[in-house]
Amino acid sequence: MKNKWSCLAIACLATLLLSLDLTVLHLALPRLVTDLGASSTQLLWIGDIYGFALAGLLVTMGNVGDRIGRKRLLLIGAAAFGVASVITAYAPNAELLIAARTLLGVAGATIMPSTLSIIRNVFTDPGERTTAVGIWSGMSAAGFALGPVVGGLLLDHFWWGSVFLINVPIMVVVLVGGVLVLPESSNPHAGRLDLISVALSFAGIVTTVYAIKEAAHKSLEHTDVLAAGIAGMALLGLFGWRQTRLAEPLIDVRLFRRRAFTASIYTNLLSIFAMSAMMLMFAWYLQLVLGWSPLQAGLAQIPGGLSGAVGGVLAAKLIHRIGRNGVVALGLAMNAGAFLYYSTLGTELNYLVLLPVMIIGGLGIGFAFTVNNDNVLATAPRERAGAAAAVSETAFELGGALGIAILGTVLNSAYRANLVLPAGVPGEAARESIAGAVGTAATLPPDQAGRLVQAAQAAFIEGVHLTSLVTAGLLAVVAVLALVGLRGVPKVIPEEVLAGARS
């Protein structure tokens, strides 16, 4: 196919925008309180509802694309994403903003698995497919890094809705380019969509993600959090059981019998579990400990994201030298080393020393994600590429939610355990988080404020050290699991291997 690289460009552009949209809103949240009068509960829903809808519908939309055509679904999703972006940008109140963010999540769920499944069907040569997946993974990493920077630049000059309007021209390009160059592909033997499985999948994933996120703010001792967690796992269990009884399931559970598929899914989940800790930790460290502005903090993290894009491209070449398991294990080991360095951070920083460490970590995550995503696509039948891509993306979403909940709890618990409040300083808000301490300090006389901020920063650094060491240990274990779990997977996975996935 002569225009397959044009197809890749369109898929990457859509993926870049989706990744950017996950992080671009973070800096705008304080303005929503002032401009829309959003309550703290509404702010949580504004931030989370996009991810809930996205994660809950990925599996369903991946299957819809396999049935009605991936190009058609991508174009429908792009149009809906553009419309929802305009509604979101001009939302007059918090309630409509939450509804518009929900629509953005639904549209995003149609786009994300469609891009990967289109790549799987366009790039039939195994070597070219790995390179294409590497570029796609790199653009996704770049989007996460660019989100805070783009948001900071726009918010310095325009109102909060501008962070959503940037979606519109990009989606117009995706729509026009998609109509002109994308080929249509679908599963010619797909049966009807099982609506019970759709309901179980959506309810199970959303309930589980909700429980994970709430556990980060509260604890499992709260009845609603515990009940949501139990209900979510039960619903997902029922969903899995039903898939074994259907001739045309949403997820072909036989794929999990293939070691490369299963090991790649779990490795990706655990990797993003660890990497989400870095995003949370650095966002607070750079701003609340070093005192950098949001824009400075965003710019400082760009090299890590861009090196992830470079790592995605280099991964295809490394496979031929050290094998698929070697590339994934090397990438995870590089990240483990980066987190070991993060465990030495203090209240002062030489950015020129941090920079190469961030680049090494970014390259490593590019290695791991590229090979794992390629493994998932390569071991799934071409006609079920959308469903396979959706499983991979769902694991990514769940891993991110788990990482923020669990490792965020480790960070905050270490902070609270190490915080020693100066005498006479009110400490209720300060004990909750370093952000609460900085907010409290703003209301105190300069002498007390300085002592409180110093104490909070010292406690937070202890939390950074512990979280970094835990994350480094986890990444080292996952590297060993990848080295063993992906052992024997061919450097080039030929079509005859895929035949085994169909049987």
Side-chain angles (χ1 to χ4, degrees):
M1 181 181 293
K2 295 181 180 179
N3 64 347
K4 56 188 171 185
W5 297 105
S6 299
C7 296
L8 175 63
I10 294 169
C12 286
L13 191 60
T15 299
L16 175 70
L17 184 58
L18 289 179
S19 300
L20 189 148
D21 219 62
L22 283 168
T23 56
V24 74
L25 179 66
H26 292 171
L27 299 180
L29 289 176
R31 293 197 184 182
L32 298 180
V33 177
T34 303
D35 295 349
L36 299 183
S39 66
S40 58
T41 301
Q42 287 173 327
L43 280 179
L44 286 176
W45 280 108
I46 291 169
D48 289 342
I49 194 63
Y50 175 79
F52 285 166
L54 182 69
L57 289 171
L58 278 171
V59 171
T60 297
M61 292 304 180
N63 278 270
V64 170
D66 287 340
R67 284 164 168 79
I68 71 170
R70 290 111 187 185
K71 172 182 177 178
R72 179 182 300 175
L73 186 65
L74 177 62
L75 296 179
I76 292 172
F81 202 91
V83 171
S85 296
V86 175
I87 297 173
T88 305
Y90 292 101
N93 52 59
E95 291 79 8
L96 184 57
L97 180 57
I98 292 171
R101 287 279 289 170
T102 304
L103 181 56
L104 276 175
V106 174
T110 69
I111 296 171
M112 194 173 285
S114 297
T115 58
L116 261 183
S117 56
I118 286 172
I119 290 173
R120 170 68 183 88
N121 280 272
V122 168
F123 289 88
T124 55
D125 177 78
E128 288 186 343
R129 184 200 61 239
T130 303
T131 299
V133 172
I135 296 171
W136 179 91
S137 299
M139 293 299 286
S140 180
F144 280 107
L146 289 172
V149 178
V150 173
L153 287 171
L154 290 172
L155 291 171
D156 279 349
H157 299 90
F158 305 103
W159 93 113
W160 62 266
S162 62
V163 301
F164 297 106
L165 284 185
I166 61 169
N167 299 342
V168 178
I170 298 176
M171 279 305 173
V172 170
V173 174
V174 171
L175 275 170
V176 175
V179 169
L180 294 177
V181 305
L182 288 181
E184 187 58 279
S185 63
S186 62
N187 181 358
H189 306 296
R192 66 180 181 85
L193 196 66
D194 182 57
L195 296 181
I196 295 178
S197 294
V198 169
L200 288 172
S201 169
F202 179 81
I205 292 172
V206 169
T207 305
T208 300
V209 173
Y210 170 81
I212 293 169
K213 286 181 175 289
E214 284 298 295
H217 298 293
K218 302 177 183 178
S219 71
L220 289 176
E221 295 177 359
H222 285 73
T223 305
D224 59 329
V225 177
L226 184 60
I230 293 173
M233 297 305 295
L235 288 167
L236 290 177
L238 284 173
F239 170 77
W241 173 82
R242 185 169 178 82
Q243 302 318 290
T244 65
R245 300 294 189 272
L246 297 174
E248 288 293 335
L250 290 191
I251 295 177
D252 187 353
V253 293
R254 293 174 299 176
L255 289 175
F256 286 94
R257 299 174 188 170
R258 300 192 63 80
R259 187 157 47 90
F261 183 89
T262 303
S264 296
I265 292 293
Y266 289 129
T267 302
N268 257 2
L269 187 151
L270 293 171
S271 298
I272 193 59
F273 173 93
M275 295 310 298
S276 63
M278 186 188 75
M279 296 175 64
L280 174 70
M281 190 171 67
F282 268 100
W284 289 9
Y285 172 73
L286 295 176
Q287 295 180 66
L288 299 178
V289 176
L290 300 184
W292 294 6
S293 69
L295 181 56
Q296 287 175 314
L299 288 170
Q301 296 182 69
I302 281 184
L306 295 182
S307 61
V310 175
V313 177
L314 294 178
K317 300 182 182 300
L318 278 177
I319 287 175
H320 296 287
R321 293 181 177 271
I322 60 176
R324 290 176 177 267
N325 63 331
V327 176
V328 176
L330 173 63
L332 295 173
M334 290 166 67
N335 271 280
F339 272 96
L340 280 178
Y341 172 78
Y342 301 151
S343 69
T344 68
L345 293 174
T347 54
E348 295 183 357
L349 175 71
N350 184 342
Y351 182 71
L352 293 180
V353 177
L354 176 67
L355 181 60
V357 179
M358 293 178 65
I359 291 174
I360 290 171
L363 285 171
I365 209 66
F367 292 164
F369 282 160
T370 294
V371 177
N372 282 329
N373 284 327
D374 188 53
N375 289 344
V376 169
L377 291 183
T379 52
R382 193 180 304 172
E383 61 271 15
R384 293 191 62 83
V391 173
S392 179
E393 296 294 344
T394 301
F396 186 92
E397 294 293 326
L398 288 174
L402 278 168
I404 291 174
I406 296 175
L407 294 177
T409 299
V410 171
L411 181 64
N412 286 331
S413 297
Y415 164 81
R416 288 191 290 268
N418 287 280
L419 180 63
V420 179
L421 289 172
V425 173
E428 183 176 350
R431 288 191 182 93
E432 287 299 313
S433 68
I434 186 173
V438 172
T440 300
T443 67
L444 299 175
D447 180 57
Q448 284 187 321
R451 287 187 288 122
L452 174 58
V453 169
Q454 187 176 22
Q457 289 176 342
F460 184 77
I461 288 295
E462 292 297 323
V464 168
H465 292 171
L466 178 60
T467 306
S468 297
L469 288 172
V470 170
T471 306
L474 174 64
L475 285 167
V477 171
V478 178
V480 174
L481 293 176
L483 195 63
V484 175
L486 296 174
R487 183 177 56 194
V489 177
K491 295 177 181 179
V492 176
I493 304 179
E495 186 68 25
E496 54 265 26
V497 172
L498 299 182
R502 297 184 179 96
S503 62

